[in-house]
């Protein structure tokens, strides 16, 4: 007996290609994960699995359940592997459910079979879809009813074996492209023409055939469709040459061809140079014989007669000035016609909607390279080993499709690593080989096309913009730009606007612009070569670089750090160039400003490299500032001995120069270094002297730094009350003078004291406040510290997953910055977290890595702490001799620096180790010593890590006594 059912079919798209790409060994666990998550979701959404072949056939109680399963299923596949996509078809119709016999099941048959025409309809609907799509029939949409999810009709489709066309709908979330699927042998879109259903593919058109697969661009394609689906009738696709404007326009036309029963026409205007050239090219494409009348009106009459039609006008930039005389007329008098213009500059006519086409995303670019490289060289395999290299290569290629395709074609002879190493030969590398003869045969030729259309002043402007690294503002451009030593016929603002309109300059923020790397290198070549524009050549390049350096050397530290360190690239470039030309003052000043940014966000190694380039300059008069930066950078990356030597040189130079502020700065660096090395008396002397100098110089930021470091020293020694006073004084000063940078940093350190005192809620609030400030200001170092500390709090609260998330984020930041000490702290906290989750191997791996860094840093306190955790872990695993040795070594470190609270915690760990070794007497002795160090009364349980450890060991020993009794 038949009854109406909701049928759902799935199919993994391109599974054979993925299997060949990954290999059988990697694909098998992926299939297992796929099947496992699909079946788990079936249970969640009340689905009954009927069959499994290339996909699943599932019956659901309602269409809503089926849609819920499909949405969750697509999301699950994205989390498993971005390349793993599936299509889903849902239909509601009458079926008969036939249970198989037990014997048939033993022979491999499923539990039941589905009979009825609804099953092949569902199969056709599913097979029509593309990766990531969920398609529904009219009956399924009707049964679903109102939905909070987006539902979009893709028109009527003729399905093989089904009598009448069926309207298909797509349902999805923000990850869905909502693009009509392509025609296939078993399904194709149809439209009503003269009362009859006709294949949409037979709609008249001259669209170029796609030579290979279209990859990515879901968002811009959806945006283009949304615009033309509204009242917009002219969309100008804007972008630099090679970014894929033409490919996107043609893809749209083919995908939505059914919207234009009057036809879709592609017209290449690359050879047009005037209005008559536009008319001739369009008339030729539309098969219009131009007579004696107005050609614009003759073409308009043809367009109007065709009704709902689409005209793509490719390469409009060189005839943009004639847009109103051509497109303007057609827009006005052919009301059903719609137009897409591809151009490197806006047309500037009424009714135009510009859509700027951005480069491919990293994922899209990586997939494009992988596919094209595999087509060019059969032996190319996108393994996990070379994927990071491919992604880095795509980044250097600016995500430009043409550049990526040209590079991928080189895979016949060059591996991704070799390609990456040759990127300095970018324009030689990015040249097509073989029979291709169009103007985009090379990246150079497509840029030459844009360059040739520029007037003289714009050529000079673009060339001089190449001296910027990491973007620029209008003010910076005004400071750098010169036009052959004379006044430009256009203002810098006009030039910048025009270059932006022509897609050669990108606006990347409210007042910030940049060049793609490819454009920058091209423009730099023109700046340095004579004869490329009025005044170009080596001298012009040197002058532009000098003006660039002067502008950035004149910035203040507050300007540099107050803008989220956005000018770091320019400051680093200015410093290198000044060092190269022997400009001492500019080199030292830009180094100081670059370090002000690097100190907040890293990478610290760059600070060291810049300092070394400045120190290598002949005749450098005073090494105070460069030596301090060298010392600070060496300290941050963990090279302590070299850092100390650099600080000593910087201290002597600052005293010789009679500069108390610089002397205080160096003393703070020395104080931090000696404190970490366990030379606490020496550290206090340095920091106290720095505090006095900062106060006498009225340098509030240095005073905050000195107080903060004194607080850290006292916290290191377990003197929490004194540490709290120092931190609170620093915090009050920071707030008084409005120094939000130091406010955020001190809040984090104050949280450490609150944690040590067992005030967990207050500590968490301090860390959260510090984290918010760090993120607001772009202070990655403070952000990493706060995340690390919050991770430890979450671990102590038993929130393991949350702890892992915080600590993983902190570790990533630490590695990006090259911050050695933070890496050690995070790894230690990760070890503690994994041990609490009984992941012993992971815990030991993290703790071993943390200890190795602490040894390199010669940080006795951190070594002592880690050795305690690691030693107890070994004892718990039965490696008691090694564990006891580590705990004793940790004691030696902490006793040497006289940190009572850290030593008390380690003594608790030692007591646990003795207890595990069946030596309760020694355990009691260690516990008693720990209590004597911190004055903890017997049986008092607290909330800090130390108090919890004291309580845990006391309970352990009391249970031992009870057991003995």
């Amino acid at each position: 007996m038949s009854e109406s059912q909701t049928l759902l079919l799935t199919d993994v798209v391109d599974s054979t290609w993925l299997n060949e790409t990954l290999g059988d060994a990697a694909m098998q666990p992926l299939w297992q994960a796929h099947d496992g998550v699909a079946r788990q979701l079936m249970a969640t959404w009340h689905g009954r699995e009927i069959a499994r072949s290339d996909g699943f056939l599932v019956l659901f109680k309602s269409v809503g359940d089926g849609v819920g399963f499909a949405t969750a299923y697509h999301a699950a596949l994205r989390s498993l592997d971005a390349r793993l996509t599936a299509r889903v078809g849902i239909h509601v119709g009458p079926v008969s459910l036939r249970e198989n016999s037990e014997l048939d099941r033993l022979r491999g048959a499923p539990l039941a079979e589905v009979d009825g025409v609804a099953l092949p309809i569902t199969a056709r609907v599913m097979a029509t879809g593309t990766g990531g799509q969920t398609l529904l029939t009219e009956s399924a949409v009707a049964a679903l009813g109102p939905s909070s999810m987006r539902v979009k009709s893709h028109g009527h489709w003729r399905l093989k074996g089904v009598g009448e066309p069926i309207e298909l709908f797509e349902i999805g979330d923000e990850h869905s492209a909502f693009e009509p699927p392509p025609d296939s042998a078993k399904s194709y879109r149809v439209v009503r023409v003269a009362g009859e259903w006709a294949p949409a593919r037979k709609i008249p058109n001259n669209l170029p055939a796609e030579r290979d697969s279209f990859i990515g661009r879901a968002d811009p394609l959806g945006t283009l469709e949304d615009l033309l689906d509204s009242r917009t009738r002219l969309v100008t696709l804007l972008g630099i040459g090679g970014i894929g404007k033409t490919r996107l326009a043609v893809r749209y036309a083919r995908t939505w061809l059914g919207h234009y029963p009057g036809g879709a026409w592609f017209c290449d205007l690359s050879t047009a140079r005037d209005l008559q050239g536009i008319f001739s090219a369009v008339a030729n494409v539309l098969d219009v014989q131009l007579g004696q009348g107005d050609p614009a009106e003759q073409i308009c009459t043809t367009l109007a007669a065709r009704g709902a039609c689409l005209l793509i006008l490719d390469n409009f930039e060189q005839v943009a000035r004639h847009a109103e005389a051509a497109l303007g007329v057609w827009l006005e008098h052919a009301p059903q016609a719609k137009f897409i213009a591809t151009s490197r500059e806006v047309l500037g006519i009424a009714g135009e909607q510009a859509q700027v086409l951005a480069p491919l995303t990293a994922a899209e670019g990586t997939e494009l390279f992988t596919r094209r490289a595999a087509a060019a060289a059969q032996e190319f395999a996108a393994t996990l080993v070379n994927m990071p290299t491919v992604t880095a290569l795509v980044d250097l290629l600016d995500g430009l499709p043409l550049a990526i395709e040209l590079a991928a074609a080189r895979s016949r002879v060059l591996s991704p690593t070799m390609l990456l190493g040759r990127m300095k030969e970018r324009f030689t590398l990015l040249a097509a080989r073989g029979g291709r003869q169009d103007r985009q045969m090379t990246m150079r030729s497509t840029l030459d096309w844009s360059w040739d259309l520029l007037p003289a002043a714009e050529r000079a402007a673009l060339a001089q913009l190449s001296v910027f690294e990491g973007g620029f503002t209008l003010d910076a451009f005004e400071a750098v730009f010169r036009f052959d030593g004379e006044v430009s016929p256009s203002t810098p603002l006009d030039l910048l606007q025009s270059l932006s309109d022509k897609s050669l300059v990108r606006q990347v923020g409210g007042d910030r612009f940049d060049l793609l790397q490819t454009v920058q290198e091209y423009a730099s070549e023109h700046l340095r070569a004579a004869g490329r524009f009025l005044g170009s050549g080596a001298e012009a390049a040197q002058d532009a670089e000098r003006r660039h350096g002067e502008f950035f050397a004149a910035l203040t530290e507050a300007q540099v750090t107050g803008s989220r360190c956005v000018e770091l690239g320019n400051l680093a470039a200015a410093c290198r160039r000044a060092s190269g030309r022997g400009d001492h003052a500019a080199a030292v000043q830009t180094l100081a400003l670059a370090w002000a940014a690097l100190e907040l966000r890293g990478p610290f190694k760059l600070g060291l490299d810049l300092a070394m380039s400045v120190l290598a300059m002949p005749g450098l008069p005073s090494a105070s500032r460069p030596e301090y930066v060298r010392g600070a950078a060496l300290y941050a990356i963990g090279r302590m001995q070299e850092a100390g030597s650099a600080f000593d040189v910087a201290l002597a130079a600052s005293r010789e120069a009679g500069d108390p502020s610089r002397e205080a700065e160096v003393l703070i660096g020395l104080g931090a270094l000696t404190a970490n090395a366990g030379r606490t008396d020496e550290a206090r002397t340095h920091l106290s002297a720095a505090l006095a100098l900062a106060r006498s110089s009225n340098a509030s930021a240095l005073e905050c730094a000195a107080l903060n470091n004194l607080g850290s020293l006292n916290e290191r020694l377990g003197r929490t009350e004194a540490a709290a006073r120092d931190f609170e004084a620093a915090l009050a000063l920071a707030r008084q003078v409005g120094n939000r940078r130091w406010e955020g940093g001190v809040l984090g350190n104050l949280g450490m004291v609150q944690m040590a005192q067992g005030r967990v809620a207050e500590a968490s609030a301090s860390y959260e406040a510090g984290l918010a400030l760090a993120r607001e200001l772009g202070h990655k170092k403070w952000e990493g510290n706060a995340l690390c500390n919050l991770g430890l709090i979450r671990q102590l609260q038993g929130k393991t997953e949350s702890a892992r998330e915080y600590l993983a984020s902190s570790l990533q930041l630490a590695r990006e910055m090259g911050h050695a000490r933070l890496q050690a702290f995070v790894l230690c906290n990760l070890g503690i977290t994994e041990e609490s989750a009984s992941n012993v191997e992971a815990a030991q791996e993290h703790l071993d890595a943390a200890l190795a860094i602490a040894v390199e840093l010669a940080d006795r306190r951190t070594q002592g702490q880690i050795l305690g955790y690691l030693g107890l872990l070994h004892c718990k695993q039965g490696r008691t001799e090694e564990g006891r040795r580590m705990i004793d070594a940790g004691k030696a470190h902490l006793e040497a620096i006289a940190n009572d609270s850290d030593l008390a915690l380690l003594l608790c760990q030692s007591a646990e180790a003795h207890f595990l070794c069946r030596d309760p007497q020694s355990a009691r002795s260690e516990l008693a010593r720990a209590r004597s160090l911190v004055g903890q009364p017997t049986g008092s349980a607290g909330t800090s890590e130390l108090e919890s450890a004291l309580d845990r060991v006391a309970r352990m020993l009391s249970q031992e006594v009870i057991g003995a009794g």
Side-chain angles (χ1 to χ4, degrees):
M1 179 178 176
S2 295
E3 62 177 286
S4 186
Q5 294 272 2
T6 297
L7 293 87
L8 180 147
L9 265 169
T10 73
D11 176 57
V12 174
V13 178
D14 289 340
S15 57
T16 302
W17 170 81
L18 185 59
N19 204 135
E20 291 176 350
T21 299
L22 298 179
D24 290 344
M27 197 65 192
Q28 183 179 1
L30 192 57
W31 275 127
Q32 290 175 340
H34 165 272
D35 292 355
V37 75
R39 288 182 170 121
Q40 182 180 356
L41 290 171
M42 288 178 210
T44 302
W45 292 97
H46 316 295
R48 179 182 179 185
E49 180 183 344
I50 300 299
R52 167 73 168 93
S53 55
D54 289 342
F56 287 100
L57 169 61
V58 192
L59 296 183
F60 286 92
K61 295 180 179 180
S62 70
V63 177
D65 284 343
V67 168
F69 165 83
T71 305
Y73 173 64
H74 289 310
L77 296 197
R78 287 193 297 272
S79 66
L80 286 178
D81 190 300
R83 294 164 292 182
L84 193 66
T85 62
R87 50 193 173 188
V88 177
I90 303 177
H91 174 57
V92 172
V95 297
S96 297
L97 196 60
R98 175 167 44 88
E99 303 289 338
N100 282 313
S101 67
E102 185 175 349
L103 178 60
D104 285 339
R105 293 173 192 171
L106 290 172
R107 290 170 176 168
L111 292 174
E113 304 284 0
V114 171
D115 297 323
V117 71
L119 178 56
I121 290 176
T122 308
R124 293 284 185 265
V125 172
M126 177 274 293
T128 300
T130 58
Q133 254 185 344
T134 300
L135 296 182
L136 288 76
T137 60
E138 295 172 82
S139 62
V141 171
L144 176 65
S147 173
S148 59
M149 300 182 69
R150 182 183 177 190
V151 179
K152 182 178 178 65
S153 172
H154 287 322
H156 285 76
W157 290 73
R158 179 79 72 183
L159 306 180
K160 186 176 180 180
V162 180
E164 287 298 312
I166 293 177
E167 187 174 7
L168 295 184
F169 298 81
E170 181 175 355
I171 190 167
D173 54 18
E174 69 276 7
H175 298 285
S176 304
F178 291 99
E179 297 174 20
D183 289 358
S184 70
K186 296 181 181 180
S187 63
Y188 56 89
R189 188 175 180 184
V190 293
V191 293
R192 281 291 216 187
V193 178
E196 299 290 335
W197 290 111
R201 62 175 178 268
K202 291 189 176 181
I203 290 173
N205 71 88
N206 72 334
L207 299 173
E210 291 186 328
R211 297 184 180 185
D212 42 33
S213 58
F214 185 87
I215 293 170
R217 296 300 199 193
D219 288 343
L221 196 57
T223 299
L224 180 57
E225 195 274 335
D226 288 343
L227 289 172
L228 289 170
D229 196 36
S230 64
R231 293 186 177 183
T232 301
R233 294 180 50 227
L234 167 61
V235 175
T236 302
L237 287 176
L238 289 172
I240 189 174
I243 205 166
K245 303 182 295 295
T246 303
R247 189 77 188 264
L248 184 73
V250 172
R251 179 67 173 189
Y252 165 80
R254 283 204 169 279
T255 304
W256 281 277
L257 187 58
H259 286 6
Y260 301 100
W265 311 97
F266 178 85
C267 180
D268 183 1
L269 297 177
S270 59
T271 60
R273 290 296 180 270
D274 53 26
L275 187 58
Q276 189 57 46
I278 298 175
F279 293 147
S280 296
V282 174
N284 182 59
V285 163
L286 296 179
D287 197 20
V288 176
Q289 299 297 320
L290 295 177
Q292 297 298 316
D294 184 345
E297 291 184 3
Q298 294 177 58
I299 292 170
C300 190
T301 300
T302 300
L303 289 171
R306 295 185 183 183
C309 61
L310 175 69
L311 180 60
I312 299 172
L313 297 162
D314 197 35
N315 304 310
F316 214 122
E317 55 270 356
Q318 81 278 7
V319 287
R321 63 190 181 281
H322 301 299
E324 183 61 44
L327 264 171
V329 174
W330 304 334
L331 282 167
E332 188 171 348
H333 297 292
Q336 289 185 279
K338 296 193 175 185
F339 305 87
I340 299 174
T342 73
S343 177
R344 304 185 191 194
E345 62 178 293
V346 293
L347 307 185
I349 66 173
E352 176 187 25
Q353 174 67 57
Q355 180 183 347
V356 178
L357 190 56
L360 294 174
T361 65
E364 291 172 337
T366 300
E367 183 182 357
L368 177 61
F369 181 93
T370 301
R371 296 265 184 147
R372 299 298 187 259
Q378 291 185 351
E379 64 274 13
F380 177 86
T383 64
L384 294 176
V385 174
N386 65 28
M387 287 302 285
T389 304
V390 171
T391 302
L393 182 62
V394 166
D395 180 59
L396 283 176
L397 293 170
D398 295 312
L400 292 175
L402 175 62
I404 293 169
E405 296 209 16
L406 292 172
R410 297 285 190 171
S411 296
R412 296 186 188 94
V413 292
L414 297 174
S415 69
T417 301
M418 294 167 69
L419 283 167
L420 192 62
R422 289 173 174 263
M423 283 307 293
K424 290 182 180 178
E425 307 166 24
R426 184 182 306 244
F427 295 110
T428 300
L429 184 70
L430 302 181
R433 293 290 182 266
R436 184 173 178 176
Q437 295 299 322
D438 59 47
R439 62 183 173 78
Q440 291 192 350
M441 183 174 171
T442 69
M443 277 307 300
R444 184 183 296 281
S445 64
T446 195
L447 290 171
D448 284 343
W449 171 270
S450 293
W451 178 268
D452 291 342
L453 295 175
L454 297 178
E458 290 180 20
R459 292 182 181 183
L462 181 63
Q464 291 173 64
L465 284 173
S466 69
V467 302
F468 291 100
E469 296 285 345
F472 55 90
T473 61
L474 175 60
D475 288 344
F477 174 48
E478 287 175 334
V480 169
F481 177 64
R482 297 291 183 275
F483 185 61
D484 194 31
E486 299 176 4
V487 177
S488 166
S490 302
T491 67
L493 176 59
D494 293 335
L495 292 169
L496 197 56
Q497 180 66 57
S498 182
L499 290 170
S500 180
D501 288 345
K502 293 172 181 175
S503 306
L504 291 166
V505 169
R506 299 187 302 176
Q507 188 166 6
V508 292
D511 63 345
R512 197 161 185 84
F513 306 84
D514 76 356
L515 305 181
L516 294 174
Q517 293 182 63
T518 304
V519 177
Q520 182 182 23
E521 289 184 24
Y522 177 86
S524 180
E525 285 186 14
H526 284 274
L527 175 63
R528 297 169 196 284
R532 301 294 177 87
F533 63 89
L534 196 59
S536 68
E539 186 175 342
Q542 291 170 3
D543 288 344
E545 289 179 353
R546 177 182 49 77
R547 293 191 296 272
H548 171 274
E550 288 172 351
F551 176 83
F552 287 102
L555 297 179
T556 65
E557 184 174 319
Q559 287 175 310
V560 169
T561 58
S563 58
R564 300 181 65 85
C565 309
V566 71
E567 299 296 4
L568 176 57
N570 281 307
L571 288 164
C575 181
R576 291 193 192 97
R577 291 165 183 166
S579 298
R581 65 175 179 266
D583 186 339
H584 295 153
V588 170
Q589 180 60 15
T590 51
L591 171 65
L593 292 170
W595 179 249
L598 288 166
E599 191 176 23
L600 305 189
R601 57 187 304 111
F604 302 131
K605 177 65 166 55
L606 175 57
L608 178 60
D609 293 342
L610 293 176
M612 296 305 294
S613 70
V614 174
L615 288 166
M617 295 171 66
L620 188 68
S622 171
S624 169
R625 194 69 181 135
E627 284 288 1
Y628 168 75
V629 172
R630 183 170 81 94
L634 286 164
Y635 172 73
I637 62 180
R639 290 160 59 179
M640 297 303 181
Q641 189 170 354
E642 296 170 81
S645 299
F647 281 145
D648 287 340
V649 174
L651 183 62
S654 64
R655 285 173 173 168
E656 183 180 344
D659 189 337
S661 294
R662 295 295 177 224
E663 184 180 347
E665 184 177 53
V666 179
L667 285 168
I668 291 169
L670 277 168
L673 187 147
T674 50
N676 288 327
R679 307 200 308 269
T680 53
D681 290 341
E682 188 179 345
R684 191 174 298 280
T685 299
H686 289 317
L687 293 172
S688 298
L691 180 61
L693 286 168
R695 284 172 171 166
S696 66
S697 304
N698 225 12
S700 59
L702 287 172
E703 186 177 350
C704 280
L707 285 167
N708 182 66
N709 277 274
L710 280 166
S712 295
L713 176 62
N714 282 321
E715 188 274 333
R716 173 176 288 274
L717 295 172
R719 301 170 185 173
T720 55
E721 292 184 5
R725 286 195 298 271
D726 290 329
F727 289 139
E728 285 165 359
L731 184 60
L733 177 61
R735 286 172 171 167
Q736 179 186 336
V737 299
N739 191 320
R740 292 169 65 76
R741 169 190 165 189
W742 273 109
E743 181 181 355
V746 175
L747 275 168
N749 286 336
L750 185 58
M752 287 196 301
V753 173
Q754 292 163 337
M755 271 293 293
Q757 295 173 338
R759 295 148 55 195
V760 178
E762 293 176 63
S764 184
S766 294
Y767 291 148
E768 293 283 6
L771 179 62
L773 275 172
R775 285 175 168 168
E776 176 190 328
L777 302 173
H779 197 321
K780 286 190 175 183
K781 189 163 73 170
W782 291 144
E783 181 183 355
N785 288 343
L787 287 167
C788 178
N789 291 326
L790 282 166
L792 183 58
I793 282 186
R794 297 296 178 264
Q795 185 275 324
L796 292 172
Q797 294 171 333
K799 300 175 181 178
T800 304
E801 283 305 316
S802 178
R804 286 192 184 114
E805 289 174 10
Y806 277 113
L807 293 170
S809 298
S810 180
L811 186 60
Q812 181 179 346
L813 285 172
R815 286 172 172 165
E816 287 174 2
M817 292 183 290
H819 193 337
R821 292 188 69 244
L822 180 57
Q823 287 185 61
F825 296 153
V826 179
L827 287 165
C828 179
N829 288 348
L830 277 169
I832 297 169
T833 300
E834 294 302 338
E835 189 198 354
S836 70
S838 301
N839 297 322
V840 177
E841 289 185 9
Q844 184 174 336
E845 181 181 343
H846 291 315
L847 290 169
D848 283 340
L851 182 61
I853 296 173
V855 169
E856 266 189 65
L857 296 175
D859 186 333
R860 302 199 71 174
R861 181 198 186 185
T862 305
Q863 288 181 65
Q865 292 172 325
I866 297 169
L867 283 165
Y869 294 115
L870 196 53
L872 181 55
L873 180 65
H874 279 291
C875 289
K876 288 178 179 178
Q877 299 305 305
R879 299 183 293 273
T880 54
E881 185 176 343
E882 185 176 2
R884 289 300 319 158
R885 178 181 58 77
M886 287 183 166
I887 289 173
D888 289 341
K891 280 185 194 176
H893 283 298
L894 297 179
E895 286 169 345
I897 62 173
N899 185 317
D900 290 346
S901 59
D902 283 350
L903 181 57
L905 178 60
L906 191 143
L907 288 168
C908 289
Q909 293 163 335
S910 178
E912 283 193 61
H914 280 299
F915 184 83
L916 292 170
C917 296
R918 303 180 183 277
D919 185 359
Q921 187 60 40
S922 296
R924 289 191 187 90
S925 175
E926 295 287 67
L927 176 61
R929 186 183 171 197
R931 283 173 172 160
S932 69
L933 287 172
V934 294
Q936 172 73 15
T938 302
S940 174
T943 55
S944 71
E945 185 182 12
L946 173 58
E947 289 173 320
S948 297
L950 289 164
D951 180 59
R952 183 174 62 252
V953 174
R955 283 188 285 105
M956 186 184 298
L957 289 171
S958 67
Q959 289 169 0
E960 188 272 336
V961 171
I962 294 170

